[in-house]
Amino acid sequence: MDLIESLFRGLNESAGINLTILYDPFDRARFWAGFLMTVYLAATSVVASVMLGVLGAAAQKSPVAPLRWLTDGYVAFFRNTPPLVQMYFFFFGLGSITPTVPDDLGFPTPLIGNVAWAIVALALFAGAFNVEIFRSGIEAVPQGTAEAATALGLSRLQSYRLVVLPLAFRICLPALNNNLVNLVKTTTLAYAIGVPEMLYVSNQIWSDALNVPEMMTTLLILYIGLVTLLVWAMHRWERAMRLPGFGER
Amino acid sequence: MTRAPDGKAAGFALLLVVAGSAWAQAAAPAADGALTALIRWAPLIGQGFVLNVLISVIAMAVGTLLGLFLGLGQVAPSRWVARPAVAATQFFRNAPWLVLLFYCIFILPFRITLFGTTVDVPNWLRATAGLTLPVMANVSEIVRGAVQSVPSGQWEGAASLALSRRKTLWLVILPQCLKRMLPPWMNLYAILLMSTPLASIVGVEEALTMTRNALGAERRSELLIPFYGALLVAFFCACWPIALATRRLEAYAARERTG
Amino acid sequence: MTSRTTRRWAIAGALAACLGLAAPLPAAAQQAGDTLSRIMREGVLKVGVRADYRPWGFRNPAGEFVGMEIEMAKDVAATLGVRPEFVPVVAANRMQFLAQGQIDLMIATMSDTAERRRVVGIVHPNYYSSGFNVLLPKQVTTTDWNALRGRQLCAIQGAWYNRPATERYGVEILAFTGIAEVETALRQRRCVGWLYDDNLIAVMLASGQWSDFHMPLPSQSDTPWGLAVRLDDLDKPWGRFMSGMVAHWHRSGKLLAWEKEAGIAESAFLRRMHEALKDHIQ
């Protein structure tokens, strides 16, 4: 560790490349925490948005009309408004009317913190796209397949669970893949509401150490790395779930 | 395959925001109502919104042109062209828009000297450049997907007519792709328009910046919901018609394919 | 621009070029020559100011820039007989804007620190001074900074005191890009207090809008503010001219007058500077 520290301290003095995150313990600690926060945000919002997508796609098929309208409204609204403004609206707007709990000084403090709001906003935003993705996946499964399943004596629910959904899921994996990549990139917006993720800590670091070019490059490399990791994992999964007779190759 | 979305959905979404704003308005004890404040600041915020649209139009135009060539590069027969084109496309598709934006704002020059005349490059134009890069990469993917979706018989047919590769592309393949590329291209534009508020983080004075400035000058927390809500509605009104038109086109194309 | 910063930008530029961004280097190097005479020739003074830092630099509903620092910039332009053009900057980009030449002068509530002097040319004498303190609810009566250990404080992103407050007193910082956001977060009790400029806290308390709050802690790290020119302009006519402007403002008491006009309580620093520089012949 000392070797790395002195190496990069030297790099700063000789070449002017100032990577404080590699030699300054304070900056290293906060950058690492920021990286972990980005990973946490990405992981939780990916899971939550996929669940939302499944629920929403089911609700769109529901016989209860108000439920369908609600889902349609949700999808239309979140797909057609800027995620950054949504983030502001949620945290500052809705955050002002959510329940509070007293802290140890007796002040009523909001129950939902900024990290939770960021996850909610990210999940709702990506979830709206997932609803559409899952819906089109279900619609792409030929009607005949479901009918054939019913003819084999499966109930409507069974044919859905055992035949239609597994097929639909495979059909929409590429689109889902795309949207989740987008979601990971969108976690940077949590910056605006003070969530200490990677961009936020980098901004704080380059304000203190005035090393914008170095930090920017580090950021770019790390985000590409994270996204590549996700794409790789999704591709593996896609391949593992591939059915014979579907798709090319 | 696509169910035409009913106007109810839009109406519902609007209702949500209006109800929220009305609630905030009713809860506000201030002498000056939220609506009055909103009207007072509307011209300035509207001015910012014009910049949002301008940025998106320029980024889309330039990004489409660059993306077209990058996309054709991706399907080029030469490995030396295709590989770098694929790499560039993947790179700019996978980098967060906000980080690319920061990059362009800090790295592009603020003034250019061309043939002895000095031209200033304003901040918003550099932000536009930052947004052009991901647009370019996405258009590149759209072009690649569309070109590859044209049946190979078309290529063979053109070859049998002794058309060169370039002529085949421009005269036979691309015209057929156009219809296929239009819906995802429009979708991309909507995404771009919704990404322009990112420029506020790098100091461009677009609608979100103006809204924040207005809120900063008013210093009243009960204005937050109506102001941000109004901004959401404004963007919704711009993006929803595009989404509708995209769906119509998709449905039309799907009917044409099957029917 | 120093060779040091030039080199760093060159490296970033090279990297960007590798990534496929056509990145000509910042054009500041081409601007050698005398900035003062260029400003006179072009008839425009480009000043980087804050658009969100009431009462030093902010916008009124008409969209015009107003505030104490705006008055200073206008006075510079009037002295030169040129038109001022205001470019809004924030803490995170103000030095880049200056170094890249987008602005020729920066009056943007910037504290004068050793790191910053390596990047931009900070003009002396300093025109203002402030330390950091915490705006706390009246129920919190502690006078010891250590009592805030582990507590969440709201702050502005990019403020120089975020780091020392964390390092020295172990507070947790919840930072936002703008003041409106911080105020809201504070009112929503997302943080115990607001880590901020002590002068600004005094302004807020005097306004009467913050009657449930006070400033019980001692101010920390009183640091002078500096307006800045590009580093290579510092010892050229432009930098020297600005030095003279600031000295004149202190001597004539203009800064004290602008401060009062902006509704800020008189700061000890301005009084001291005025006393030291004022005319001995009455």
Side-chain angles (χ1 to χ4, degrees):
Chain A
M1 220 53 187
D2 286 342
L3 185 71
I4 296 177
E5 275 185 27
S6 55
L7 180 70
F8 283 97
R9 211 181 280 278
L11 191 64
N12 179 24
E13 278 146 22
S14 59
I17 298 176
N18 188 10
L19 282 166
T20 52
I21 51 169
L22 292 174
Y23 68 80
D24 180 323
F26 186 80
D27 279 358
R28 186 170 53 217
R30 57 179 169 174
F31 191 77
W32 178 240
F35 176 77
L36 289 183
M37 178 57 83
T38 291
V39 172
Y40 173 72
L41 278 182
T44 44
S45 53
V46 159
V47 172
S49 75
V50 169
M51 289 190 329
L52 261 176
V54 173
L55 286 179
Q60 277 193 331
K61 296 271 170 240
S62 147
V64 188
L67 195 60
R68 287 202 305 269
W69 298 339
L70 195 74
T71 318
D72 285 350
Y74 156 66
V75 172
F77 191 73
F78 279 86
R79 279 178 63 116
N80 291 293
T81 48
L84 183 61
V85 185
Q86 287 168 17
M87 197 77 92
Y88 273 98
F89 183 75
F90 272 102
F91 181 68
F92 292 113
L94 298 187
S96 62
I97 54 174
T98 46
T100 55
V101 282
D103 66 357
D104 58 337
L105 296 173
F107 295 135
T109 49
L111 202 53
I112 309 174
N114 57 345
V115 177
W117 271 124
I119 294 171
V120 168
L122 288 169
L124 281 174
F125 170 69
F129 284 82
N130 284 347
V131 170
E132 288 290 274
I133 291 169
F134 287 134
R135 183 184 56 76
S136 62
I138 291 171
E139 284 175 359
V141 175
Q143 198 67 46
T145 313
E147 279 162 16
T150 330
L152 287 173
L154 296 182
S155 72
R156 201 181 117 80
L157 196 68
Q158 274 176 324
S159 85
Y160 234 81
R161 199 165 55 84
L162 299 173
V163 180
V164 177
L165 283 185
L167 282 176
F169 195 64
R170 284 165 172 82
I171 293 171
C172 57
L173 257 185
L176 184 66
N177 197 343
N178 229 340
N179 189 35
L180 295 186
V181 165
N182 239 329
L183 178 57
V184 172
K185 295 191 288 178
T186 314
T187 56
T188 48
L189 304 197
Y191 165 97
I193 60 170
V195 176
E197 47 74 67
M198 216 155 42
L199 184 61
Y200 171 100
V201 291
S202 303
N203 189 308
Q204 195 59 252
I205 290 172
W206 79 52
S207 305
D208 290 338
L210 309 175
N211 54 351
V212 185
E214 292 93 330
M215 287 314 297
M216 204 83 81
T217 310
T218 312
L219 264 184
L220 215 45
I221 292 170
L222 281 177
Y223 274 110
I224 301 256
L226 272 181
V227 167
T228 310
L229 196 71
L230 178 70
V231 170
W232 177 79
M234 291 291 285
H235 271 299
R236 277 198 64 136
W237 195 32
E238 214 172 304
R239 213 167 320 143
M241 295 211 328
R242 202 165 64 87
L243 293 179
F246 269 88
E248 32 182 350
R249 264 176 297 171
Chain B
M1 124 177 196
T2 325
R3 191 165 46 107
D6 31 355
K8 277 181 214 139
F12 183 83
L14 282 178
L15 198 73
L16 255 175
V17 174
V18 173
S21 312
W23 184 89
Q25 166 101 16
D32 187 14
L35 197 63
T36 334
L38 199 55
I39 291 169
R40 186 163 62 244
W41 289 94
L44 203 61
I45 297 174
Q47 227 175 24
F49 196 80
V50 172
L51 191 57
N52 285 73
V53 175
L54 186 68
I55 289 176
S56 69
V57 168
I58 298 177
M60 197 67 196
V62 180
T64 302
L65 197 69
L66 296 176
L68 183 62
F69 286 104
L70 195 60
L72 293 178
Q74 284 203 82
V75 294
S78 158
R79 253 198 321 189
W80 298 105
V81 179
R83 288 232 175 121
V86 170
T89 304
Q90 288 308 323
F91 181 86
F92 289 115
R93 275 186 75 207
N94 290 343
W97 295 48
L98 190 51
V99 178
L100 286 178
L101 208 57
F102 266 115
Y103 225 91
C104 280
I105 285 285
F106 284 131
I107 290 216
L108 291 182
F110 79 100
R111 58 167 41 163
I112 307 170
T113 308
L114 270 181
F115 312 114
T117 37
T118 323
V119 190
D120 278 1
V121 184
N123 213 9
W124 67 267
L125 203 58
R126 296 188 301 161
T128 310
L131 291 172
T132 304
L133 294 172
V135 170
M136 172 188 78
N138 281 292
V139 170
S140 166
E141 271 302 273
I142 293 173
V143 170
R144 184 189 60 85
V147 168
Q148 287 181 346
S149 74
V150 173
S152 44
Q154 297 287 334
W155 284 95
E156 287 153 15
S160 70
L161 290 173
L163 290 182
S164 68
R165 187 183 154 81
R166 180 179 300 171
K167 278 197 169 164
T168 312
L169 258 182
W170 290 99
L171 298 177
V172 180
I173 307 296
L174 281 182
Q176 297 188 58
C177 295
L178 227 64
K179 208 182 290 170
R180 207 165 298 219
M181 290 190 303
L182 196 58
W185 184 82
M186 285 168 65
N187 201 21
L188 180 64
Y189 177 74
I191 291 174
L192 171 64
L193 184 58
M194 291 191 292
S195 300
T196 51
L198 294 182
S200 80
I201 291 183
V202 293
V204 174
E205 303 214 286
E206 48 67 71
L208 181 58
T209 310
M210 290 304 190
T211 308
R212 286 167 49 202
N213 283 353
L215 287 167
E218 288 280 343
R219 303 196 142 188
R220 284 157 56 194
S221 47
E222 76 273 10
L223 291 181
L224 284 153
I225 293 183
F227 270 60
Y228 287 130
L231 193 59
L232 282 176
V233 171
F235 272 99
F236 185 82
C237 293
C239 295
W240 172 248
I242 302 176
L244 269 186
T246 312
R247 293 235 202 166
R248 291 266 156 78
L249 268 175
E250 267 170 357
Y252 175 74
R255 262 206 312 280
E256 210 171 50
R257 266 201 296 279
T258 52
Chain C
M1 201 183 260
T2 49
S3 65
R4 185 189 159 81
T5 17
T6 314
R7 198 176 320 127
R8 287 192 330 180
W9 281 106
I11 290 159
L15 187 106
C18 296
L19 300 179
L21 289 159
L25 278 175
Q30 304 157 13
Q31 312 217 316
D34 176 30
T35 305
L36 181 57
S37 43
R38 182 172 52 76
I39 293 169
M40 300 294 282
R41 194 172 61 241
E42 291 176 354
V44 179
L45 171 65
K46 289 189 178 155
V47 200
V49 293
R50 302 293 298 248
D52 61 347
Y53 219 78
R54 195 174 188 154
W56 281 274
F58 61 105
R59 276 177 187 277
N60 64 12
E64 295 156 343
F65 287 92
V66 280
M68 177 172 167
E69 292 184 334
I70 312 298
E71 291 304 321
M72 294 165 59
K74 283 182 178 161
D75 194 51
V76 176
T79 309
L80 293 173
V82 298
R83 181 171 59 82
E85 189 182 310
F86 298 108
V87 178
V89 296
V90 295
N93 65 16
R94 55 190 170 190
M95 277 173 279
Q96 282 78 22
F97 277 25
L98 187 61
Q100 292 174 18
Q102 226 167 326
I103 50 178
D104 289 317
L105 175 65
M106 182 236 287
I107 314 182
T109 65
M110 188 176 73
S111 301
D112 182 2
T113 66
E115 284 91 11
R116 287 171 178 168
R117 283 194 199 177
R118 271 187 249 139
V119 181
V120 291
I122 297 184
V123 172
H124 291 97
N126 299 101
Y127 69 92
Y128 210 75
S129 178
S130 71
F132 65 88
N133 207 321
V134 184
L135 179 73
L136 285 166
K138 281 205 170 135
Q139 292 93 322
V140 181
T141 51
T142 180
T143 51
D144 179 14
W145 276 82
N146 288 307
L148 294 178
R149 191 166 292 279
R151 299 264 176 207
Q152 202 150 46
L153 294 183
C154 286
I156 302 278
Q157 266 162 15
W160 63 271
Y161 39 73
N162 292 357
R163 179 171 175 162
T166 316
E167 274 183 322
R168 279 185 228 161
Y169 308 110
V171 298
E172 277 176 30
I173 300 290
L174 175 59
F176 298 97
T177 41
I179 287 168
E181 286 87 347
V182 177
E183 284 191 8
T184 315
L186 188 62
R187 289 202 193 273
Q188 291 177 4
R189 301 257 187 240
R190 296 191 178 276
C191 41
V192 181
W194 181 353
L195 181 70
Y196 207 24
D197 237 285
D198 52 1
N199 287 314
L200 271 168
I201 296 180
V203 172
M204 289 159 56
L205 290 175
S207 75
Q209 284 182 9
W210 295 87
S211 49
D212 301 339
F213 289 81
H214 65 164
M215 185 166 59
L217 299 173
S219 276
Q220 297 291 317
S221 329
D222 191 52
T223 313
W225 294 9
L227 49 81
V229 295
R230 261 180 302 284
L231 206 48
D232 47 7
D233 273 328
L234 192 56
D235 291 321
K236 297 244 174 70
W238 179 226
R240 291 291 161 84
F241 167 78
M242 282 315 301
S243 255
M245 285 301 296
V246 181
H248 171 74
W249 288 333
H250 279 304
R251 178 184 172 86
S252 63
K254 266 189 172 169
L255 283 167
L256 279 164
W258 284 327
E259 185 185 40
K260 196 171 172 192
E261 216 173 283
I264 312 167
E266 186 178 290
S267 60
F269 173 80
L270 283 190
R271 179 52 62 191
R272 209 167 58 233
M273 291 300 283
H274 177 62
E275 292 303 326
L277 292 176
K278 76 174 180 206
D279 197 347
H280 68 284
I281 302 169
Q282 286 303 322

